[in-house]
Amino acid sequence: MGRVIVECVPNFSEGRSESVVGQIVKAIASVPSVAVLGSTMDVDHHRSVVTFAGTPKSVQEAALLGVAEAVSLIDLKQHRGVHPRLGAADVVPFVPVKGITLRDCAELAVEVGERIWRRLGVPVFLYEAAARRADRVRLEHVRQGGFETLVKKVLADPASAPDIGGPALHPSAGACIVGARKLLIAYNINLDSSDINIAKTIARSIRASSGGFPHVKALGFALQSRGIVQVSMNLVDFEATPLHVVQEAVRVQAENLGIGILGGEIIGFMPQKVLEQAAAYYLKFESFDSNMVLERQLEQRLGD
Amino acid sequence: MGRVIVECVPNFSEGRSESVVGQIVKAIASVPSVAVLGSTMDVDHHRSVVTFAGTPKSVQEAALLGVAEAVSLIDLKQHRGVHPRLGAADVVPFVPVKGITLRDCAELAVEVGERIWRRLGVPVFLYEAAARRADRVRLEHVRQGGFETLVKKVLADPASAPDIGGPALHPSAGACIVGARKLLIAYNINLDSSDINIAKTIARSIRASSGGFPHVKALGFALQSRGIVQVSMNLVDFEATPLHVVQEAVRVQAENLGIGILGGEIIGFMPQKVLEQAAAYYLKFESFDSNMVLERQLEQRLGD
């Protein structure tokens, strides 16, 4: 039947020391049946992101080891970056990839949150699909004010207390925001133009926050090195708003503005289903389901 | 790294007795690590096709067991059908699916051919990628004249002798045509028209034999039950001539004739790569390779 696969994409408050990030990645990669798919560091944000995947239990174990390493190596009191953060291990989302639901991933997140508090003494806020309160669903609401504000607020205001442990934050590692969310696709479309206003206009017209497509975040950027502009997107629910629908909208808008599309790019990875959605749409199959794909059949029938 | 997977699609000269076809399928399915993906019977052709897949050794074993069952149950001397045939187990192609080349499959085919002769006394012609003679590459050339003609010709003309065993054919089971070929995609496009001439015109314009796309076979059919016509295709090398290219050509031709497309359908299965080719084309990725697909990454890194 193929394995159950969960992805985890923790964000750590260290983006300058390769040694520190390297030790965190090493701790994560030490767990059998876990594959580190990538890690990035950002000097300005002073932040790093590690992407790894595996079976639920191995991913939980690896997340805990990564958080433990960050808690022992990172001192938030010394940390200054442009990106808001609440903890040394700032955000730990669990993402369903295969054979598991978002709800299941929320349960994995709660279990890891409890272990983070018990073993490391770092209190935990639960967000997105793992949130216990409506005002903690959105990450930006949980993180509001950051470590420096929350460290006092949790003691003064019981309503601000963490969901697990606390109420005091950890003196050097703050708190950890643990949760579950759907798989996010980072998708950019490069335009044959150097006019940043065109990229911004298109981004505004397609993003959810400006009344565009649901589950789409978009910004217009200039790519200085190539002399072109880009619509940079996050598709936070590609099953509800498929990539090809967004691509068509950007293409039509660009055409209306007299601009061509140079091409699309995926930052990181996209799930198989994106291809299936696009193929079913463009190839006009009378009916399409993934069982028409030979490899899916073999996976199901041979456990390949 | 994922398993090596071979597909085998033997054609048997029995399309009327469910019991006989059932026994053949049962013999094939008895081999561990083999998955029977489907089987079809055709009364008019008096012929059945079984599709199965698995690891190379298990598929070889299952092919041999299926052929043995057909040889013991089918008497070609009693067999009359509209489809040309040379043997009880008429054609046994091995098809590379994953982690294996066409050349490797040709070697598997030769090994199975030798075992068919040694164990069952049925001589073997080798065709397509396993052919030892240029005039035996194409199935229709090997099968020319059928059992009734070949049974005498192999004795009279040494140049007509089988590649393995013989020269006399097996008295009731004839000969077996064993080989290796690329994966074939059976792809139909239904047209919003009841005019068979339109389907035939489009089929003629796209098929290789009339000067259309290489590696495309196409015919125009009427679907009586739906009152529409269909362009019915075999794509015999979808990597060289992708499905989306053929679909675009049919769509444009139909449009030029004032006809809409109702939709496409796949008979059986299509490989993952068809989706990747189509997505890369329609989604206009600046660069595309299958490592951008999360599931491919996991397969490679977790052996999932």
Side-chain angles (χ1 to χ4, degrees):
Chain A
M1 285 301 297
R3 262 191 273 199
V4 173
I5 302 282
V6 174
E7 189 186 67
C8 185
V9 194
N11 291 221
F12 301 100
S13 295
E14 174 59 62
R16 292 170 193 165
S17 163
E18 288 190 9
S19 149
V20 168
V21 175
Q23 285 177 75
I24 293 170
V25 170
K26 200 175 152 196
I28 290 168
S30 73
V31 177
S33 303
V34 157
V36 175
L37 300 175
S39 68
T40 58
M41 290 173 66
D42 188 292
V43 171
D44 299 319
H45 288 178
H46 203 346
R47 193 173 176 83
S48 52
V49 179
V50 183
T51 304
F52 63 97
T55 57
K57 287 217 174 303
S58 65
V59 166
Q60 283 184 306
E61 180 66 20
L64 193 66
L65 292 180
V67 171
E69 204 67 21
V71 168
S72 81
L73 295 173
I74 298 170
D75 183 357
L76 265 200
K77 295 194 300 298
Q78 310 300 322
H79 178 272
R80 297 289 175 274
V82 299
H83 200 289
R85 81 284 179 272
L86 202 52
D90 193 44
V91 191
V92 183
F94 292 84
V95 178
V97 171
K98 186 172 148 192
I100 189 165
T101 65
L102 182 60
R103 199 93 294 282
D104 295 334
C105 284
E107 285 177 27
L108 299 179
V110 171
E111 287 170 15
V112 168
E114 280 164 356
R115 288 161 74 187
I116 289 172
W117 167 244
R118 272 205 316 275
R119 292 214 209 158
L120 309 173
V122 175
V124 167
F125 292 89
L126 296 169
Y127 87 116
E128 286 253 350
R132 288 178 179 168
R133 287 164 43 171
D135 61 346
R136 291 189 176 166
V137 171
R138 296 189 62 171
L139 181 59
E140 52 270 45
H141 294 166
V142 177
R143 200 157 50 190
Q144 212 155 37
F147 174 68
E148 287 73 12
T149 305
L150 259 288
V151 76
K152 297 166 211 152
K153 204 175 170 193
V154 288
L155 298 176
D157 173 18
S160 294
D163 294 297
I164 301 172
L169 301 193
H170 187 284
S172 61
C176 191
I177 310 170
V178 182
R181 62 162 171 79
K182 292 190 177 184
L183 203 138
L184 175 155
I185 303 173
Y187 175 47
N188 300 330
I189 294 179
N190 297 325
L191 304 177
D192 191 7
S193 168
S194 57
D195 184 350
I196 182 67
N197 289 321
I198 286 182
K200 289 189 173 184
T201 299
I202 294 175
R204 207 176 303 120
S205 76
I206 60 161
R207 70 186 169 220
S209 64
S210 309
F213 290 107
H215 317 296
V216 173
K217 301 179 182 184
L219 291 170
F221 286 129
L223 302 189
Q224 307 290 359
S225 62
R226 294 178 63 183
I228 58 169
V229 295
Q230 176 182 78
V231 182
S232 178
M233 295 162 280
N234 277 337
L235 311 185
V236 300
D237 188 346
F238 73 93
E239 295 188 276
T241 305
L243 186 141
H244 69 267
V245 170
V246 175
Q247 192 257 167
E248 284 292 320
V250 171
R251 188 179 59 74
V252 168
Q253 293 245 18
E255 272 174 17
N256 289 345
L257 295 165
I259 300 296
I261 282 182
L262 294 175
E265 58 184 35
I266 296 289
I267 309 301
F269 310 103
M270 67 184 156
Q272 168 70 15
K273 194 163 182 192
V274 170
L275 301 182
E276 296 180 1
Q277 288 173 321
Y281 175 78
Y282 291 108
L283 296 177
K284 302 177 181 64
F285 287 120
E286 289 199 336
S287 67
F288 182 90
D289 79 284
S290 52
N291 290 326
M292 287 162 58
V293 180
L294 181 61
E295 285 85 347
R296 295 298 83 67
Q297 282 290 326
L298 296 172
E299 192 176 282
Q300 281 170 34
R301 306 213 195 182
L302 290 175
D304 179 64
Chain B
M1 286 300 295
R3 262 191 272 197
V4 174
I5 302 282
V6 174
E7 190 186 66
C8 185
V9 194
N11 291 221
F12 300 100
S13 294
E14 174 60 61
R16 293 171 193 165
S17 163
E18 287 191 9
S19 149
V20 169
V21 175
Q23 284 177 76
I24 293 170
V25 171
K26 200 174 152 194
I28 289 168
S30 73
V31 176
S33 304
V34 157
V36 175
L37 300 175
S39 68
T40 58
M41 290 171 67
D42 187 292
V43 171
D44 299 319
H45 289 178
H46 201 349
R47 193 173 176 82
S48 52
V49 179
V50 183
T51 303
F52 63 96
T55 57
K57 286 215 175 307
S58 65
V59 165
Q60 284 183 305
E61 180 65 21
L64 193 66
L65 292 180
V67 170
E69 204 67 22
V71 167
S72 81
L73 295 173
I74 298 170
D75 183 358
L76 266 200
K77 295 193 300 298
Q78 310 301 322
H79 178 271
R80 298 287 175 276
V82 298
H83 200 289
R85 82 283 180 271
L86 203 51
D90 193 45
V91 191
V92 184
F94 292 84
V95 178
V97 171
K98 186 173 148 189
I100 189 165
T101 65
L102 183 60
R103 201 92 294 283
D104 295 335
C105 284
E107 286 176 25
L108 300 179
V110 172
E111 286 171 15
V112 168
E114 281 163 356
R115 288 162 75 187
I116 288 173
W117 167 244
R118 271 205 316 276
R119 290 213 210 159
L120 309 173
V122 175
V124 167
F125 291 89
L126 296 170
Y127 86 116
E128 287 252 349
R132 289 178 180 169
R133 288 164 43 170
D135 62 345
R136 290 190 177 164
V137 171
R138 295 188 62 171
L139 181 59
E140 52 270 44
H141 294 165
V142 177
R143 199 156 50 189
Q144 213 155 36
F147 174 67
E148 286 74 11
T149 305
L150 259 287
V151 75
K152 297 165 211 153
K153 204 174 170 191
V154 288
L155 299 175
D157 172 18
S160 294
D163 295 297
I164 301 172
L169 301 194
H170 186 284
S172 61
C176 190
I177 309 170
V178 182
R181 60 163 172 79
K182 292 192 176 182
L183 203 138
L184 175 155
I185 302 172
Y187 175 46
N188 300 329
I189 295 179
N190 297 324
L191 304 177
D192 192 8
S193 169
S194 57
D195 184 349
I196 183 66
N197 289 321
I198 287 183
K200 288 188 172 186
T201 299
I202 295 175
R204 207 175 303 119
S205 75
I206 59 161
R207 70 186 170 216
S209 64
S210 311
F213 291 108
H215 317 298
V216 173
K217 300 178 182 184
L219 291 170
F221 285 130
L223 301 188
Q224 307 290 0
S225 62
R226 293 178 63 183
I228 58 169
V229 295
Q230 176 182 77
V231 182
S232 179
M233 294 162 281
N234 277 338
L235 311 184
V236 300
D237 187 346
F238 74 94
E239 295 186 276
T241 305
L243 187 143
H244 69 266
V245 170
V246 176
Q247 192 258 166
E248 284 292 320
V250 171
R251 188 179 58 75
V252 168
Q253 293 245 19
E255 272 175 16
N256 288 346
L257 295 166
I259 300 296
I261 281 181
L262 294 175
E265 58 183 34
I266 296 290
I267 309 301
F269 311 104
M270 68 183 156
Q272 169 69 16
K273 194 163 181 192
V274 170
L275 302 181
E276 296 180 1
Q277 287 172 322
Y281 174 79
Y282 290 108
L283 296 176
K284 303 175 181 66
F285 287 120
E286 290 199 336
S287 66
F288 182 87
D289 79 284
S290 53
N291 290 326
M292 288 162 58
V293 180
L294 181 60
E295 285 85 347
R296 294 299 83 68
Q297 282 291 326
L298 296 172
E299 191 177 284
Q300 281 169 35
R301 306 212 193 184
L302 290 175
D304 179 63

